[in-house]
Amino acid sequence: MFSAHEIERLSQEFETKTPQEIVQWAVGEYSPNLAMSSSFQTQSMPLLHIVSQTGRDVTVFFLDTGYHFWETLMFREQIALEWNLNVFDLRRDPRWDVFVLQNIRKLPVDDPNLCCYLHKVQPMQKALQGVKAWISGIRRDQTETRAHAKILELQDDGLLKVNPLLNWKKTDVENYMKDHALPSHPLLEKGYRSVGCAPCTIAIGADDDERAGRWAGRGKTECGLHTEMFKKKKLSEIQREFNLEIK
Ligand code: SF4
């Protein structure tokens, strides 16, 4: 168990380490109480590959929102099988089922923050209660929020978030993919350079920002897993924020 001060120092030290070295450290210190999350899109492949190469059993959480492209679900199956990954699907709390089913078409459009909260943030919060460290594949060059992230982030509840790819650029991902001949998400060739849920992802041009096709035109860039929203754990806070009633 590291103190907040030690985590801060290690995080600084890791700024010059490779993702492989950071993953090795995390696996050595926290396995088997360690999990990673993955959306199984093209840019997820290097981190999944690096983790699989450690030979250690790391649970991979996949957020099965119910809104994914068929291609994503098939790709997830293929990679999990070929790389022998221990993938665990996370789904929304069934208490939301009636509300979601009544609003299934309009929810991602009318209130994407609530939709992401129900389908991504809350299931991930629950799953991570069982582990001590969480490996995530975010990069500083992806969004303004991610630009301020640290390689190691200790949450108030003691969960350590490990971001090994933080200093990688898009080209590092491409080079790793090429060097290791990794497969791409099937929708990449159709212009989907960042792939999330189908109602919130569009194809983009070659010169567009990598994440320009996510929640395009809706003033949203993050699902909430890597923002302040993730720290809101009390249902009452969420109810207030979204003006919701849940029994
Ligand atoms: S990405 Fe869109 S469909 Fe998926 S959970 Fe978020 S708002 Fe809902």
Side-chain angles (χ1 to χ4, degrees), residues 52-121:
S52 72
Q53 294 297 297
T54 64
R56 303 287 283 272
D57 186 18
V58 177
T59 304
V60 181
F61 290 140
F62 173 70
L63 287 158
D64 188 358
T65 61
Y67 286 106
H68 283 297
F69 289 98
W70 181 247
E71 287 86 345
T72 301
L73 300 177
M74 289 297 98
F75 191 53
R76 167 222 174 284
E77 287 298 316
Q78 177 200 329
I79 298 299
L81 195 67
E82 289 177 5
W83 295 4
N84 198 24
L85 301 176
N86 178 19
V87 182
F88 194 84
D89 292 335
L90 306 181
R91 299 194 177 92
R92 69 170 176 260
D93 183 329
R95 288 181 298 167
W96 296 105
D97 283 358
V98 172
F99 170 77
V100 171
L101 292 173
Q102 282 172 342
N103 296 279
I104 196 135
R105 284 177 183 272
K106 60 181 187 174
L107 185 59
V109 180
D110 288 357
D111 202 338
N113 285 333
L114 174 60
C115 189
C116 279
Y117 176 76
L118 302 183
H119 294 102
K120 296 186 174 186
V121 176

Side-chain angles (χ1 to χ4, degrees), residues 158-185:
L159 176 72
L160 181 70
K161 191 171 173 199
V162 184
N163 302 313
L165 300 188
L166 215 51
N167 283 325
W168 265 18
K169 304 272 185 272
K170 191 161 67 85
T171 47
D172 295 309
V173 174
E174 290 164 356
N175 290 339
Y176 190 97
M177 298 278 300
K178 222 178 287 168
D179 291 348
H180 296 84
L182 301 186
S184 296
H185 188 290

Side-chain angles (χ1 to χ4, degrees), residues 18-245:
T18 64
Q20 290 89 334
E21 290 171 316
I22 299 167
V23 166
Q24 278 298 348
W25 173 84
V27 165
E29 292 292 339
Y30 291 96
S31 178
N33 295 310
L34 174 73
M36 75 173 283
S37 53
S38 183
S39 53
F40 285 84
Q41 53 181 311
T42 299
Q43 29 316 18
S44 311
M45 292 300 106
L47 187 57
L48 277 171
H49 187 254
I50 290 169
V51 169
S52 72
Q53 294 297 297
T54 64
R56 303 287 283 272
D57 186 18
V58 177
T59 304
V60 181
F61 290 140
F62 173 70
L63 287 158
D64 188 358
T65 61
Y67 286 106
H68 283 297
F69 289 98
W70 181 247
E71 287 86 345
T72 301
L73 300 177
M74 289 297 98
F75 191 53
R76 167 222 174 284
E77 287 298 316
Q78 177 200 329
I79 298 299
L81 195 67
E82 289 177 5
W83 295 4
N84 198 24
L85 301 176
N86 178 19
V87 182
F88 194 84
D89 292 335
L90 306 181
R91 299 194 177 92
R92 69 170 176 260
D93 183 329
R95 288 181 298 167
W96 296 105
D97 283 358
V98 172
F99 170 77
V100 171
L101 292 173
Q102 282 172 342
N103 296 279
I104 196 135
R105 284 177 183 272
K106 60 181 187 174
L107 185 59
V109 180
D110 288 357
D111 202 338
N113 285 333
L114 174 60
C115 189
C116 279
Y117 176 76
L118 302 183
H119 294 102
K120 296 186 174 186
V121 176
Q122 201 176 46
M124 187 65 79
Q125 285 173 335
K126 190 173 172 204
L128 290 172
Q129 283 170 7
V131 299
K132 293 200 168 127
W134 164 30
I135 300 178
S136 134
I138 61 168
R139 306 196 321 263
R140 284 195 176 112
D141 71 344
Q142 288 175 314
T143 66
E144 176 58 21
T145 311
R146 297 178 187 194
H148 304 290
K150 294 177 179 170
I151 292 176
L152 299 182
E153 297 177 334
L154 190 60
Q155 294 189 179
D156 292 344
D157 59 2
L159 176 72
L160 181 70
K161 191 171 173 199
V162 184
N163 302 313
L165 300 188
L166 215 51
N167 283 325
W168 265 18
K169 304 272 185 272
K170 191 161 67 85
T171 47
D172 295 309
V173 174
E174 290 164 356
N175 290 339
Y176 190 97
M177 298 278 300
K178 222 178 287 168
D179 291 348
H180 296 84
L182 301 186
S184 296
H185 188 290
L187 289 177
L188 179 70
E189 60 183 25
K190 294 185 177 165
Y192 292 83
R193 301 221 322 271
S194 175
V195 184
C197 296
C200 303
T201 308
I202 57 170
I204 52 175
D207 296 331
D208 287 331
D209 181 77
E210 184 183 84
R211 285 177 65 89
R214 305 288 296 276
W215 303 285
R218 287 188 235 170
K220 178 175 165 73
T221 57
E222 293 279 355
C223 62
L225 290 180
H226 311 292
T227 66
E228 281 300 304
M229 186 198 265
F230 196 76
K231 294 172 191 155
K232 288 187 184 171
K233 296 200 168 166
K234 287 193 189 134
L235 197 54
S236 54
E237 282 182 80
I238 297 302
Q239 280 178 286
R240 253 198 315 277
E241 181 166 334
F242 293 112
N243 197 19
L244 270 179
E245 278 188 34

